[in-house]
Amino acid sequence: MEVIHTIGRRKTAVARIYLKPGNGSISVNKRDLNNYFTTATLQYKVKQPLALLGAEAAYDVKVNVYGGGITGQAEAIRLAIARALCQVDVENRAVLKPEGFLTRDPRMVERKKFGQKKARKRFQFSKR
């Protein structure tokens, strides 16, 4: 099996991952996963698709991620890893799809409109 390249997105974060057979190391922007994502919750989010398939020690993952915040980046990486695992074996899709790992979350920040404070908040109205 050669290196598999996939892309995952969430809000404004874009993650490009390279998946290859290995011993389970995950590097994000040339740093170790535990150094890049300091909270256990975000580390868990990134590893979820691999843990579900029991393949945590089977693949090496190299990630380039930019844009957004750390939560959006973690979820973008999760989507990219799930997509890559589907390319490895088609049967993985039946396991990952019901968990929602293959669904791109379309929610984005609503733009600010002119003449208003924020997207929906208005300036205070004064009748007199």
Side-chain angles (χ1 to χ4, degrees), residues 11-77:
K11 293 188 178 180
T12 56
V14 180
R16 298 192 328 248
I17 72 144
Y18 301 91
L19 186 89
K20 63 180 180 181
N23 56 6
S25 69
I26 301 174
S27 68
V28 182
N29 291 348
K30 298 179 182 175
R31 289 162 56 187
D32 186 50
L33 175 73
N34 298 337
N35 292 337
Y36 194 84
F37 295 115
T38 52
T39 62
T41 310
L42 296 175
Q43 293 168 16
Y44 171 73
K45 269 188 185 176
V46 170
K47 293 177 185 175
Q48 263 182 316
L50 293 165
L52 191 65
L53 298 171
E56 290 141 313
Y59 301 105
D60 286 346
V61 184
K62 185 175 163 252
V63 182
N64 293 327
V65 66
Y66 62 91
I70 54 170
T71 306
Q73 287 185 351
E75 291 180 15
I77 293 168

Side-chain angles (χ1 to χ4, degrees), residues 40-127:
T41 310
L42 296 175
Q43 293 168 16
Y44 171 73
K45 269 188 185 176
V46 170
K47 293 177 185 175
Q48 263 182 316
L50 293 165
L52 191 65
L53 298 171
E56 290 141 313
Y59 301 105
D60 286 346
V61 184
K62 185 175 163 252
V63 182
N64 293 327
V65 66
Y66 62 91
I70 54 170
T71 306
Q73 287 185 351
E75 291 180 15
I77 293 168
R78 180 175 70 181
L79 176 62
I81 290 172
R83 285 179 173 173
L85 291 169
C86 285
Q87 284 185 22
V88 169
D89 188 8
V90 182
E91 266 103 64
N92 291 343
R93 185 174 177 82
V95 179
L96 295 169
K97 183 80 172 148
E99 298 295 323
F101 295 150
L102 297 174
T103 307
R104 201 285 199 200
D105 193 343
R107 294 177 295 172
M108 301 285 278
V109 176
E110 190 175 337
R111 70 174 285 269
K112 182 198 172 293
K113 280 78 171 188
F114 61 89
Q116 298 178 17
K117 271 192 178 210
K118 298 194 303 189
R120 300 197 177 192
K121 188 175 184 178
R122 310 292 205 262
F123 289 112
Q124 186 171 335
F125 175 72
S126 174
K127 195 166 186 177

